[in-house]
Amino acid sequence: MIYRTMKRLFFFLIMLIGYNSGHTQELGSFTDKRDGQVYKTVTYSIQLSQDSIINMTWMAENLNYKMKSSFCYDDYESNCEIMGRLYNWPAAMHACPEGWHLPN
């Protein structure tokens, strides 16, 4: 269910960006203060009207913050380095760095 909701949101954003010629994309990075890991980010600035611009910054990589109830695919630590960590829902709600949240 969460995957389907995120997929719909992502599809909506891509459609919005694709049909709106007034948009920009900026690449950046974010350092997680908890463990020093650096993540790539992308910021979309979308002009909805002449007076209305929205900015959305998304992590462009999967989170890899180690915490209770998180794990690596197939229990191989090397998979976390490549793909990030997997979280159960309660852990995911608390895994986001300060100032970040799961999309809703």
Side-chain angles (χ1 to χ4, degrees), residues 38-89:
V38 179
Y39 298 96
K40 294 177 186 172
T41 62
V42 61
T43 299
Y44 295 101
S45 297
I46 304 169
Q47 186 166 359
L48 299 176
S49 67
Q50 203 168 14
D51 299 326
S52 178
I53 296 175
I54 59 171
N55 295 309
M56 295 182 294
T57 301
W58 293 74
M59 281 190 175
E61 296 182 86
N62 291 331
L63 189 62
N64 190 20
Y65 179 65
K66 189 173 186 173
M67 60 182 294
K68 187 177 180 180
S69 300
S70 71
F71 54 97
C72 300
Y73 181 75
D74 275 346
D75 291 325
Y76 290 111
E77 198 68 29
S78 60
N79 286 336
C80 281
E81 295 171 19
I82 298 167
M83 299 178 274
R85 298 191 74 80
L86 299 169
Y87 304 89
N88 65 24
W89 182 249

Side-chain angles (χ1 to χ4, degrees), residues 31-42:
T31 302
D32 190 338
K33 294 178 185 177
R34 301 171 297 179
D35 59 9
Q37 292 193 69
V38 179
Y39 298 96
K40 294 177 186 172
T41 62
V42 61

